[in-house]
Amino acid sequence: MYPNDGFRELERQECLRLLAQVPVGRIVHTRQALPAVLPVNFSLDSDGAVLLCTSAASELARAVDGTVVAFEVDEVDAVTHSGWSVVVTGAATVVRDPDEHERLTRTGPRSWAPSPEEVFVRIEPELITGRELVGGRSLYGVRLSP
């Protein structure tokens, strides 16, 4: 978080509640030594881990397995100049345990671009941060737009 930027910092539980309300987020990882950002649908596991479902042959699965990634979700209202953003940072791993894969097949996210062989990617939430802007006003009560 950036101190004194005027946004309200969100607590971990509030971040998890907001994460559970939206179906699409962005995964940020490294691709050829540069940041790469991909929109993905997701769900949360019972322990707060972010779960993705993708093709076993996808570049995404290979790129993030065993690396630290960021996952960002937000909701913005351009009319009221309000919204929030939550970022989860943690290690991403492809789920290889057959029992866990079977459980996630029943309870986890469904890929919006299904493929014959799918894998689940789990992002362990080592750091969860969030911030909110309400009604175009900063934390200090200063109006941010005319």
Side-chain angles (χ1 to χ4, degrees), residues 20-84:
Q21 293 178 2
V22 242
V24 175
R26 292 161 211 77
I27 187 166
V28 182
H29 63 95
T30 303
R31 181 177 175 195
Q32 298 176 344
L34 297 171
V37 182
L38 291 172
V40 291
N41 67 297
F42 75 101
S43 69
L44 290 182
D45 208 352
S46 58
D47 63 357
V50 174
L51 299 170
L52 314 176
C53 182
T54 189
S55 166
S58 73
E59 183 180 325
L60 175 63
R62 288 188 309 276
V64 303
D65 190 26
T67 69
V68 174
V69 300
F71 185 79
E72 191 268 345
V73 175
D74 58 42
E75 190 170 275
V76 177
D77 185 327
V79 174
T80 63
H81 301 173
S82 62
W84 54 266

Side-chain angles (χ1 to χ4, degrees), residues 18 23 26 28 47 53 71 74 91-92 95-96 113 115 117 132 138:
L18 291 169
R26 292 161 211 77
V28 182
D47 63 357
C53 182
F71 185 79
D74 58 42
V95 173
R96 290 186 172 80
S115 69
E117 187 180 348
E132 176 186 38
S138 75

